[in-house]
Amino acid sequence: GVAAEFAVPLHAKGARVIDLSADFRLRSASVYEQFYGDKHPAPELLEKAVYGLPEVYREQIREALLIASPGCYPTSILLPLLPLLRAKLIHPTGIIADSLSGVSGAGRKAEIPYLFSECNESMRPYGVPKHRHLSEIEQELAAAAEQPVTIQFTPHLIPVTRGILTTLYLAPMKHFSTNEETAELSNKISRCYLDAYEKEPFVRLLEGSALPDTKHVVGTNYLDIAWRLDSRTGRLVVMSAEDNVIKGASGQAVQSMNIVCGFAETAGLL
Amino acid sequence: GVAAEFAVPLHAKGARVIDLSADFRLRSASVYEQFYGDKHPAPELLEKAVYGLPEVYREQIREALLIASPGCYPTSILLPLLPLLRAKLIHPTGIIADSLSGVSGAGRKAEIPYLFSECNESMRPYGVPKHRHLSEIEQELAAAAEQPVTIQFTPHLIPVTRGILTTLYLAPMKHFSTNEETAELSNKISRCYLDAYEKEPFVRLLEGSALPDTKHVVGTNYLDIAWRLDSRTGRLVVMSAEDNVIKGASGQAVQSMNIVCGFAETAGLL
Amino acid sequence: GVAAEFAVPLHAKGARVIDLSADFRLRSASVYEQFYGDKHPAPELLEKAVYGLPEVYREQIREALLIASPGCYPTSILLPLLPLLRAKLIHPTGIIADSLSGVSGAGRKAEIPYLFSECNESMRPYGVPKHRHLSEIEQELAAAAEQPVTIQFTPHLIPVTRGILTTLYLAPMKHFSTNEETAELSNKISRCYLDAYEKEPFVRLLEGSALPDTKHVVGTNYLDIAWRLDSRTGRLVVMSAEDNVIKGASGQAVQSMNIVCGFAETAGLL
Amino acid sequence: GVAAEFAVPLHAKGARVIDLSADFRLRSASVYEQFYGDKHPAPELLEKAVYGLPEVYREQIREALLIASPGCYPTSILLPLLPLLRAKLIHPTGIIADSLSGVSGAGRKAEIPYLFSECNESMRPYGVPKHRHLSEIEQELAAAAEQPVTIQFTPHLIPVTRGILTTLYLAPMKHFSTNEETAELSNKISRCYLDAYEKEPFVRLLEGSALPDTKHVVGTNYLDIAWRLDSRTGRLVVMSAEDNVIKGASGQAVQSMNIVCGFAETAGLL
């Protein structure tokens, strides 16, 4: 609501706007109202806005007048999921996203639950089962899957200042249990991620036995991804790590700005 | 392996043994070998051992000569799951357990990954997808479900000294989506948990909007449980919190000792 | 100011009051006004109040109607210093107290400086050079030294939830530099501390190479003390550790209550 | 000892060497032996080596063949002290340095005292009263004071990954107690620090009520300084904050490299 107050007049004057708030991330004013409780302040701008995920909407961002830069949870969930959905490698139903967030994700609010003595030596889920950011996450997943998508999302508050770690539980379209089936599916997933991200400067596909660790991305614009097929359960587990205030917020907005302005996309970020 | 060296001769001399190690938690020597890599050191004792979860095996513990006290992850997963499986309220397939553990869970090993500077400001999954403790977890789940159970389990290392937080993703047997169906299923789950734990001194069922927070159980022998039905996804999400070195280890062993010795079960623990 | 509102009428009704606030810790209403800015709300009660440090005023506490229980910084500074001053082993001038406090010392205030993201990975001095609690510290030091005492005190805020660590820099009365002189002075200090605290249940004199660590006292009513003579500089360095919310607050008040009520002094505390 | 193995042959081949170890920081082989226990491995190089503190030895670094870059504690103590000693504003005797260090200061050693569960929620002094780095600190202080200097130094281990906070207790040469005397001395100290550091890119003199906080320097090559005159005690208290692995180690070495190579001194550091 607040960002629209600035974005609308700036847009009206012809300025190109990169908005870090949630105001223009949804294409539907009614979904906005359902998740945020208020009427959308400028519904006519929703269809002009581009969702500012450069790895997905780079070309649209280049021309966009209004860019709605995604926040920390959506980025950590969407980048690992979108290629798999587009390639129809996983079922679009039954997706589970279990996320861990550092305390800076709550903003700089002087509220009791975010005091040091409350957060330190604490681990806790919150906002179960329906979090506001589900709306934009499901919108983007649906676009990739070409059908409606509803996911299970559980955020947890963890005593670190920065970082998001997301663990995704997914059902591959193709059954696998023999070594051969597992190897074949493995190759497809690997190929799918390489096609999507091999040339991306800010998405790193971890290799070998490495698993994401927020320590390795905090202070950077990187999002790290690793995945494992579990032949015992028939599931694909994908894990991602990012810095919630860089790739999950301001860094990603700078990345979009670089695209908008024709700078090197990594300028100021590497 | 190491604990058996002490437990076997003590047992042979007629001592009653409460073992905190994993040596006697499995009923099957072949499952032990499959998960731990070595032949079991004393297979003849496996069938005499009682799994030391007082809320489940209180009567057997009272008479047991050898008690295999469960560790932190199994306790945090089994106590929330067993009543639901026994009551056939959830499908025994497709269970997902996402767990967060404090660093003391790794023991007091002088190894680089557990140094302060490595763990602090870090969040990371590990042991994906097959963790040793799955063997005892699945053994106990299968006993409750009366059929084999295979679960998805992802542990994460979190920068707190103590505490385990587990989030369980479950599929109720009965479909629910209307308010009426949700309320009905809600009542059944509530009843099921009350029947199981209302009189238990160390399991607390959280009420209202409260969700588990390890801060509220660290330093105690409590395990806290909360759950939510999500009518958007049709799933049941159950969350538990415990202190990994008390309810998840030594405190639970003291609880068993109290039962064995005929002391008040809460002696020294409340 | 606030506590007096409760303590005064309770006292008037004949109740015995143990006050955790700073309201009745000073014997002088004018010093109170100088350090706290307001006129004292009940100056007539000041001379009736006993400073609730059981190791120093045990007999007076037994009979007291109003006990002003000391806070965290004073306890951590006074217990190590008082025996040395009473024995005239150190100069009462030039004393330096450098203290480190956990964030719970600031109370449960929803203020920006105490948010997790502000305190975590931060170390900072504050209130330099004149802290309110200096008034009661200097009052008690002066009583022991039998002359006015002015100390240098620097508190620091450290990212732990609980604990106070104080390092004291002191000038022994007697010069020492040879091994013989050092050994002789060492014996005197050792004797002085043993006389004061050998039989105290809550003061532990560390031996050998051990130095205080707040980890060893948090959750207890203990105050740990170690000291070193430095023949290079001619100084005595004394270090203490305590839990600011137990020995530095509520635990100490319970200790006084036990004395007042004729209970074992360690009841509920060991 | 180890660094000399590399530095000596490199130096012999004519390479210019910037050494981060303590091997060449002392001018005296006998002081080295006294503090480090071994004979110095290459005493003939000691007088060629320049102590790599750019704010003090910039011109010598420019021409040096061997630069001994100072570590974290010395940098945090020397930069605040040297201007005051050179200007004879403080007594060179009786100096106390109380330092707090993050755990990365101990290096990446797999040892029990540096495990997460040992350091987290712990505050502890160590190495009291004689720390190895005293030798180089006192050498540089003596050079500034033009007389031998012996200081009291107490390091503490604090649960942060990075950062050093040092609090210095100093005795001004000139007595002050009236407002006028305090203001006059204040002006002199202020002038002294401005003369020394006003144009330095990496030393920041804090103004107004600001005090150093390691959070504000971690990740940077800055050292922040603030000071207070305490007319109650007649002392000057100076506080500094730096990142132990940047200004206190590698960043400072890069700063020297920039000088050696004729690059902008801030290249890669701002």
Side-chain angles (χ1 to χ4, degrees):
Chain A
V2 170
E5 290 178 33
F6 297 90
V8 173
L10 283 166
H11 177 79
K13 296 267 187 190
R16 298 180 70 178
V17 173
I18 299 173
D19 179 6
L20 273 169
S21 83
D23 285 4
F24 297 100
R25 292 184 193 150
L26 296 176
R27 279 166 212 151
S28 153
S30 73
V31 173
Y32 181 92
E33 192 174 343
Q34 181 194 334
F35 276 84
Y36 292 89
D38 292 318
K39 280 219 172 300
H40 193 279
E44 70 287 0
L45 287 183
L46 288 181
E47 66 180 30
K48 293 190 186 174
V50 170
Y51 195 70
L53 209 48
E55 289 77 8
V56 181
Y57 295 110
R58 184 169 284 117
E59 294 318 308
Q60 294 91 318
I61 289 170
R62 208 182 301 284
E63 309 302 327
L65 297 177
L66 176 52
I67 295 161
S69 205
C72 48
Y73 285 126
T75 302
S76 83
I77 292 169
L78 292 172
L79 287 179
L81 276 181
L82 294 176
L84 302 173
L85 281 173
R86 281 191 306 246
K88 313 245 180 268
L89 283 169
I90 56 166
H91 283 285
T93 55
I95 294 172
I96 292 171
D98 189 289
S99 292
L100 315 179
S101 172
V103 184
S104 66
R108 199 161 179 259
K109 288 177 289 203
E111 295 178 1
I112 295 278
Y114 307 118
L115 289 178
F116 182 84
S117 299
E118 300 293 317
C119 294
N120 185 39
E121 294 296 287
S122 155
M123 306 189 281
R124 51 180 130 128
Y126 68 97
V128 180
K130 192 179 170 188
H131 189 281
R132 286 179 165 193
H133 288 174
L134 273 173
S135 51
E136 65 185 273
I137 295 169
E138 292 179 350
Q139 164 185 286
E140 296 302 316
L141 295 178
E146 300 175 308
Q147 69 177 86
V149 176
T150 303
I151 72 165
Q152 188 81 48
F153 170 53
T154 313
H156 298 77
L157 194 68
I158 300 296
V160 296
T161 301
R162 285 156 71 159
I164 296 259
L165 188 93
T166 289
T167 304
L168 296 158
Y169 298 97
L170 310 171
M173 284 283 193
K174 201 158 164 29
H175 173 83
F176 67 102
S177 67
T178 67
N179 286 350
E180 204 164 59
E181 288 165 344
T182 307
E184 194 187 339
L185 181 54
S186 234
N187 284 339
K188 280 189 185 161
I189 296 166
S190 186
R191 192 68 259 153
C192 170
Y193 273 133
L194 284 170
D195 287 349
Y197 296 132
E198 199 171 22
K199 293 180 181 162
E200 284 295 336
F202 295 119
V203 179
R204 299 190 298 199
L205 302 168
L206 303 186
E207 288 175 5
S209 64
L211 293 175
D213 183 335
T214 53
K215 186 173 278 290
H216 300 149
V217 294
V218 164
T220 80
N221 198 49
Y222 289 121
L223 179 123
D224 283 0
I225 297 175
W227 53 272
R228 297 289 185 272
L229 281 173
D230 187 348
S231 56
R232 295 175 73 254
T233 61
R235 274 215 197 72
L236 168 62
V237 180
V238 184
M239 295 144 283
S240 73
E242 65 173 16
D243 183 328
N244 58 306
V245 300
I246 304 187
K247 185 59 178 165
S250 56
Q252 183 145 266
V254 170
Q255 193 180 346
S256 280
M257 182 191 75
N258 288 339
I259 296 169
V260 163
C261 298
F263 303 154
E265 194 167 323
T266 58
L269 295 171
L270 271 194
Chain B
V2 170
E5 290 178 33
F6 298 89
V8 173
L10 284 166
H11 177 79
K13 296 266 186 192
R16 298 180 69 178
V17 173
I18 299 172
D19 180 6
L20 272 169
S21 83
D23 285 5
F24 298 101
R25 291 183 193 151
L26 295 176
R27 281 167 210 151
S28 154
S30 73
V31 173
Y32 181 92
E33 192 173 343
Q34 182 194 331
F35 275 84
Y36 291 89
D38 291 317
K39 280 217 172 300
H40 193 279
E44 70 284 1
L45 287 183
L46 289 181
E47 66 181 31
K48 294 191 187 173
V50 170
Y51 194 69
L53 209 47
E55 289 77 7
V56 181
Y57 295 110
R58 185 170 284 117
E59 293 319 309
Q60 293 92 318
I61 289 169
R62 208 181 301 284
E63 309 301 329
L65 298 175
L66 176 51
I67 295 161
S69 204
C72 48
Y73 286 126
T75 303
S76 82
I77 292 169
L78 292 172
L79 287 179
L81 276 181
L82 295 176
L84 302 173
L85 282 173
R86 281 192 306 246
K88 311 244 181 272
L89 283 170
I90 57 167
H91 283 284
T93 56
I95 294 172
I96 291 171
D98 189 288
S99 291
L100 315 179
S101 172
V103 185
S104 66
R108 199 162 178 258
K109 288 177 290 202
E111 296 178 0
I112 295 279
Y114 308 118
L115 290 177
F116 182 85
S117 300
E118 300 293 317
C119 294
N120 185 39
E121 294 297 287
S122 156
M123 307 189 281
R124 50 179 132 128
Y126 69 96
V128 180
K130 193 180 170 188
H131 190 281
R132 286 178 164 195
H133 287 174
L134 273 173
S135 50
E136 65 185 274
I137 295 168
E138 292 178 351
Q139 163 186 286
E140 296 302 315
L141 295 178
E146 300 176 307
Q147 69 176 87
V149 175
T150 303
I151 71 164
Q152 188 81 49
F153 170 53
T154 312
H156 298 77
L157 194 68
I158 300 295
V160 297
T161 300
R162 286 156 71 159
I164 296 259
L165 187 95
T166 289
T167 304
L168 297 158
Y169 298 96
L170 309 171
M173 284 282 193
K174 200 158 164 32
H175 173 83
F176 66 103
S177 67
T178 66
N179 285 351
E180 204 164 60
E181 289 165 342
T182 307
E184 195 186 340
L185 181 54
S186 235
N187 284 339
K188 282 190 184 161
I189 295 167
S190 186
R191 193 68 259 152
C192 170
Y193 273 133
L194 284 170
D195 287 349
Y197 296 132
E198 198 171 20
K199 293 179 181 164
E200 284 297 335
F202 295 119
V203 180
R204 298 191 297 199
L205 303 168
L206 304 186
E207 289 174 5
S209 64
L211 293 174
D213 182 335
T214 54
K215 186 174 279 290
H216 299 148
V217 293
V218 164
T220 80
N221 198 48
Y222 289 120
L223 179 122
D224 284 359
I225 297 176
W227 53 272
R228 295 290 184 274
L229 282 174
D230 187 348
S231 56
R232 295 175 73 253
T233 62
R235 275 215 196 70
L236 168 62
V237 180
V238 184
M239 295 144 284
S240 74
E242 66 172 17
D243 184 328
N244 58 306
V245 301
I246 303 188
K247 185 58 178 165
S250 57
Q252 183 144 266
V254 170
Q255 194 180 347
S256 280
M257 184 191 73
N258 287 339
I259 296 170
V260 163
C261 298
F263 303 154
E265 194 167 323
T266 58
L269 295 171
L270 271 195
Chain C
V2 169
E5 289 178 34
F6 297 89
V8 173
L10 283 166
H11 177 79
K13 296 267 186 192
R16 297 180 70 178
V17 173
I18 300 174
D19 179 5
L20 273 169
S21 83
D23 285 5
F24 297 100
R25 292 184 193 150
L26 296 176
R27 279 166 211 152
S28 154
S30 73
V31 173
Y32 180 93
E33 190 173 344
Q34 181 194 333
F35 276 85
Y36 292 89
D38 291 317
K39 280 220 173 300
H40 193 279
E44 70 286 0
L45 287 183
L46 288 181
E47 65 180 30
K48 293 191 186 172
V50 170
Y51 194 69
L53 209 49
E55 290 77 7
V56 181
Y57 294 110
R58 183 170 285 118
E59 294 317 310
Q60 294 91 319
I61 290 169
R62 208 181 301 285
E63 310 300 329
L65 298 176
L66 176 52
I67 295 161
S69 204
C72 48
Y73 286 127
T75 302
S76 83
I77 292 169
L78 292 173
L79 287 178
L81 276 180
L82 295 177
L84 302 173
L85 282 172
R86 281 192 305 246
K88 311 240 179 278
L89 283 170
I90 57 166
H91 283 285
T93 56
I95 293 172
I96 292 172
D98 189 288
S99 292
L100 315 179
S101 172
V103 185
S104 65
R108 199 161 178 258
K109 288 177 290 203
E111 295 178 1
I112 294 279
Y114 307 118
L115 289 177
F116 182 85
S117 299
E118 300 293 316
C119 294
N120 185 39
E121 294 296 287
S122 155
M123 306 188 283
R124 51 180 131 126
Y126 68 96
V128 180
K130 194 181 170 189
H131 189 281
R132 285 177 165 196
H133 287 174
L134 273 173
S135 50
E136 65 185 272
I137 295 169
E138 294 179 348
Q139 164 186 286
E140 295 302 315
L141 295 177
E146 300 175 307
Q147 68 177 86
V149 176
T150 303
I151 72 164
Q152 188 80 49
F153 169 53
T154 313
H156 298 77
L157 194 68
I158 301 295
V160 296
T161 302
R162 285 156 71 158
I164 296 258
L165 188 94
T166 289
T167 303
L168 297 158
Y169 298 98
L170 309 171
M173 284 282 193
K174 201 158 163 32
H175 172 84
F176 66 103
S177 67
T178 66
N179 286 350
E180 203 164 60
E181 289 165 343
T182 307
E184 195 186 340
L185 181 54
S186 234
N187 284 339
K188 281 189 183 161
I189 295 166
S190 186
R191 193 68 258 152
C192 170
Y193 273 132
L194 284 169
D195 287 349
Y197 297 131
E198 199 172 19
K199 293 180 182 163
E200 284 296 337
F202 296 118
V203 179
R204 299 189 298 198
L205 303 168
L206 303 185
E207 288 175 4
S209 64
L211 294 175
D213 183 335
T214 53
K215 186 174 279 289
H216 299 148
V217 294
V218 164
T220 80
N221 198 47
Y222 288 120
L223 179 124
D224 283 359
I225 296 175
W227 53 273
R228 296 291 183 272
L229 282 173
D230 187 348
S231 56
R232 295 175 74 253
T233 62
R235 272 215 198 71
L236 169 62
V237 180
V238 184
M239 295 144 285
S240 73
E242 64 171 17
D243 183 329
N244 58 306
V245 300
I246 303 188
K247 185 60 179 164
S250 57
Q252 183 144 266
V254 169
Q255 194 180 347
S256 280
M257 183 192 73
N258 288 338
I259 296 169
V260 163
C261 298
F263 303 155
E265 193 167 323
T266 58
L269 294 171
L270 270 195
Chain D
V2 170
E5 289 178 35
F6 297 89
V8 173
L10 283 167
H11 177 79
K13 297 267 187 189
R16 299 180 70 178
V17 173
I18 299 173
D19 180 6
L20 272 170
S21 84
D23 284 5
F24 298 101
R25 291 184 193 150
L26 297 176
R27 279 166 211 151
S28 155
S30 72
V31 173
Y32 180 93
E33 192 174 343
Q34 182 194 333
F35 276 85
Y36 291 89
D38 292 316
K39 279 217 172 303
H40 192 279
E44 70 285 0
L45 287 183
L46 289 181
E47 64 180 30
K48 293 191 185 170
V50 170
Y51 195 70
L53 210 47
E55 289 77 7
V56 181
Y57 295 110
R58 184 170 284 117
E59 292 319 309
Q60 294 93 317
I61 289 169
R62 207 181 302 284
E63 309 300 328
L65 297 175
L66 176 51
I67 296 161
S69 204
C72 48
Y73 286 126
T75 303
S76 83
I77 292 169
L78 292 172
L79 288 179
L81 276 181
L82 295 175
L84 302 174
L85 282 172
R86 281 191 307 245
K88 311 239 180 278
L89 283 170
I90 57 166
H91 283 286
T93 55
I95 294 172
I96 291 171
D98 189 291
S99 291
L100 315 179
S101 173
V103 185
S104 65
R108 199 161 178 259
K109 288 178 289 203
E111 295 179 1
I112 295 278
Y114 308 118
L115 289 177
F116 182 85
S117 299
E118 300 293 317
C119 295
N120 185 39
E121 294 296 289
S122 155
M123 306 188 282
R124 51 179 131 127
Y126 68 96
V128 180
K130 194 180 168 187
H131 190 282
R132 284 176 165 196
H133 287 173
L134 272 173
S135 51
E136 65 184 273
I137 295 168
E138 293 179 349
Q139 164 185 285
E140 296 302 315
L141 295 178
E146 300 176 307
Q147 69 178 83
V149 175
T150 303
I151 71 164
Q152 188 81 48
F153 170 53
T154 312
H156 298 76
L157 194 67
I158 300 295
V160 297
T161 300
R162 286 156 72 159
I164 296 258
L165 187 94
T166 289
T167 303
L168 297 158
Y169 298 97
L170 309 172
M173 285 283 192
K174 201 156 165 29
H175 172 83
F176 66 103
S177 66
T178 65
N179 285 351
E180 204 164 60
E181 289 165 343
T182 307
E184 195 187 340
L185 181 53
S186 236
N187 284 339
K188 281 189 183 160
I189 295 166
S190 185
R191 193 67 260 154
C192 170
Y193 273 133
L194 284 169
D195 287 349
Y197 296 131
E198 198 172 20
K199 293 179 180 162
E200 284 296 336
F202 296 118
V203 180
R204 298 189 297 199
L205 303 167
L206 303 186
E207 289 174 5
S209 64
L211 293 174
D213 182 336
T214 54
K215 186 174 278 290
H216 299 148
V217 294
V218 164
T220 80
N221 198 49
Y222 289 119
L223 179 123
D224 283 0
I225 297 176
W227 54 272
R228 296 290 183 273
L229 282 173
D230 186 350
S231 56
R232 294 175 75 253
T233 63
R235 272 214 198 72
L236 168 62
V237 180
V238 183
M239 295 143 285
S240 74
E242 65 172 17
D243 184 328
N244 58 305
V245 301
I246 303 187
K247 185 58 179 166
S250 56
Q252 183 144 265
V254 169
Q255 193 180 347
S256 280
M257 184 190 74
N258 287 339
I259 296 169
V260 163
C261 297
F263 303 154
E265 194 167 323
T266 58
L269 295 171
L270 271 195

